[in-house]
Amino acid sequence: MKVKLNPNNTKDKSKEFLLEFFRDNKISDEKGVLIISDVHPDFEKFVGKKAPYKFVFDINLHNKIKDSELIMQGSYFLLAIRDYLANKGQTCIQKINIKQDLRELAKNKSLTKYKILWVKENGFDFLSEFSFLSVYQYLNEKKQSSTRFLVKNKEILNLQLDKFKIHSGNKEEISEINLETDYQTAENHLKNKVNQEIKPIKALLQIKLEKELHRVKDHYHKQIKEKDEEVERCEERIKLLQSKLKHTFYDRDISILKRMIRESTERLEKLKQKSYRERLRTEETFHINDEVEKHVLSIKNTLINITLYYYPLFSLEVLSKGKKSVLKYDPVLDKIV
């Protein structure tokens, strides 16, 4: 069974990586050209080039589009982004700015069974987002991907925060938060994601390794066989010469046979003294270990950013079936908590 990586998949992964990195910038994606503009000056300075950036994923298109950047494994921009992210690890605080009034809340489907009498802010709640850079290195290949996890209460959330108004937060507004549990949740999900991503890579490496190991073992099997056969030929030659010597009567012929026997005996002793089998087995083991090491998949996961989002919770006094009660409402998760 043949296993190989789809080259289009590599292209898609690179494009996905770029879209994730530049997600907060202006993006245009038309006719195979990904154009990124309104890039932060900090990145422009780091990469040594001002936006807009024209990314293409095809060599023919690269030749047609002026000032385009060809994106493929190991290309300058992918490596530059990786290095930029590795150097930018930080924690930032963002506030989700939410204002609620009775009219807005009355439209909310989760609250339609209540008549809302009043609403007021009641403390803050938090979401944490962890951004990771994963670099996979094997043979002469290096691949990378970025991943973000939005976490709350040990759960990964699938929320689109861009529908909210978000701005820089003020750490004075909130107390110290322990993100260790949320980080462990994100890290565990990252491991699962990475394990899925590397399955085709590991399968490909296994096939290549088996092929190389077969080549090495076959080579040394033939080497040992050739030496064994040489020893056998040498021993047979000595026996044949000794047999001839018994039936030879002329001094000149006897001298020649004795010399040939001596030379063959010396050759046989040298073969055995060098312990060719042990030497070749040692060489074989060395080359096998070398191939195994070459086909190891190296994975490096780096936490490059933590974003702590905080937002207001609301207390609602509601009337339901003639009874008043006070509920706490989470506007981001859109549910009563």
Side-chain angles (χ1 to χ4, degrees):
M1 179 180 69
K2 293 184 178 180
V3 177
K4 58 182 180 180
L5 296 178
N6 185 345
N8 292 327
N9 187 47
T10 302
K11 167 188 167 182
D12 292 343
K13 288 290 184 183
S14 297
K15 187 174 183 179
E16 179 184 322
F17 178 74
L18 290 170
L19 288 172
E20 173 66 17
F21 178 75
F22 290 109
R23 69 174 188 170
D24 296 327
N25 304 115
K26 186 176 179 181
I27 299 174
S28 172
D29 188 3
E30 294 182 7
K31 297 180 180 180
V33 183
L34 189 64
I35 302 176
I36 311 294
S37 52
D38 295 341
V39 176
H40 196 285
D42 186 43
F43 178 75
E44 290 181 325
K45 182 178 179 181
F46 182 87
V47 82
K49 183 177 182 180
K50 287 188 173 293
Y53 305 127
K54 301 175 185 177
F55 298 128
V56 297
F57 306 87
D58 178 83
I59 185 66
N60 295 323
L61 198 56
H62 175 54
N63 293 330
K64 295 177 183 178
I65 305 297
K66 186 179 179 181
D67 295 328
S68 63
E69 299 286 344
L70 179 61
I71 299 300
M72 54 192 298
Q73 289 302 323
S75 65
Y76 170 72
F77 252 89
L78 291 181
L79 295 176
I81 292 172
R82 182 198 67 197
D83 294 340
Y84 177 80
L85 290 173
N87 294 329
K88 292 294 287 184
Q90 59 183 338
T91 301
C92 61
I93 300 175
Q94 299 276 66
K95 184 176 183 179
I96 303 176
N97 195 19
I98 300 174
K99 300 293 183 182
Q100 296 284 12
D101 58 36
L102 294 179
R103 185 176 298 178
E104 288 180 348
L105 289 170
K107 299 176 184 177
N108 194 297
K109 292 181 180 180
S110 64
L111 299 172
T112 53
K113 64 180 179 179
Y114 301 107
K115 180 180 180 180
I116 304 172
L117 303 177
W118 55 256
V119 55
K120 67 177 181 179
E121 288 190 14
N122 184 3
F124 292 107
D125 209 344
F126 306 89
L127 302 172
S128 48
E129 184 180 67
F130 300 89
S131 300
F132 297 93
L133 176 68
S134 299
V135 179
Y136 312 140
Q137 191 165 1
Y138 55 96
L139 297 179
N140 294 320
E141 295 285 338
K142 182 178 284 188
K143 301 180 185 296
Q144 58 194 29
S145 64
S146 61
T147 311
R148 301 188 188 205
F149 294 105
L150 193 61
V151 187
K152 181 176 175 61
N153 298 332
K154 299 182 181 181
E155 291 187 9
I156 302 295
L157 303 180
N158 184 21
L159 287 178
Q160 298 299 323
L161 296 181
D162 52 5
K163 63 183 179 181
F164 299 105
K165 292 181 179 180
I166 301 175
H167 56 77
S168 295
N170 181 359
K171 63 181 181 181
E172 302 299 328
E173 285 190 296
I174 58 176
S175 57
E176 186 174 337
I177 304 297
N178 187 345
L179 299 178
E180 185 63 30
T181 300
D182 283 352
Y183 172 72
Q184 290 297 330
T185 299
E187 190 177 42
N188 290 337
H189 277 76
L190 175 68
K191 289 177 181 178
N192 292 334
K193 177 180 179 292
V194 167
N195 286 337
Q196 290 300 315
E197 286 186 347
I198 65 176
K199 279 183 178 180
I201 298 176
K202 290 177 71 175
L204 181 66
L205 287 175
Q206 184 62 34
I207 290 172
K208 287 189 172 184
L209 176 60
E210 289 175 359
K211 181 179 179 180
E212 290 304 312
L213 292 183
H214 176 76
R215 178 187 61 79
V216 171
K217 291 178 180 179
D218 184 61
H219 170 75
Y220 282 98
H221 172 75
K222 289 177 179 177
Q223 289 284 306
I224 291 173
K225 184 179 179 182
E226 287 175 5
K227 292 297 182 182
D228 285 345
E229 289 174 349
E230 186 176 354
V231 168
E232 290 177 4
R233 287 195 300 271
C234 199
E235 290 175 339
E236 290 297 323
R237 179 176 174 78
I238 291 172
K239 289 180 182 179
L240 181 61
L241 291 172
Q242 288 174 338
S243 177
K244 284 185 177 181
L245 182 62
K246 291 179 181 178
H247 303 89
T248 300
F249 303 100
Y250 297 103
D251 292 340
R252 181 176 177 279
D253 292 339
I254 290 173
S255 176
I256 292 172
L257 286 171
K258 284 184 176 181
R259 177 178 58 79
M260 293 173 67
I261 291 173
R262 183 173 64 254
E263 290 175 351
S264 295
T265 301
E266 289 175 355
R267 174 62 181 158
L268 180 61
E269 288 177 352
K270 285 182 180 180
L271 284 171
K272 291 183 176 181
Q273 283 175 358
K274 287 183 179 179
S275 186
Y276 65 89
R277 274 181 167 269
E278 182 179 346
R279 177 177 59 80
L280 291 172
R281 290 299 185 195
T282 301
E283 286 183 17
E284 180 183 18
T285 300
F286 171 80
H287 287 291
I288 285 175
N289 291 338
D290 184 50
E291 290 299 335
V292 170
E293 188 174 335
K294 285 180 183 177
H295 288 76
V296 167
L297 172 61
S298 171
I299 304 171
K300 183 180 180 181
N301 296 315
T302 305
L303 176 65
I304 54 178
N305 190 69
I306 301 174
T307 302
L308 177 65
Y309 296 97
Y310 70 99
Y311 59 92
L313 294 174
F314 294 92
S315 288
L316 313 176
E317 185 178 53
V318 299
L319 183 65
S320 177
K321 297 180 181 180
K323 293 183 178 180
K324 291 182 180 180
S325 59
V326 177
L327 306 175
K328 184 174 280 191
Y329 173 66
D330 185 321
V332 172
L333 300 183
D334 187 22
K335 67 178 184 179
I336 303 298
V337 294

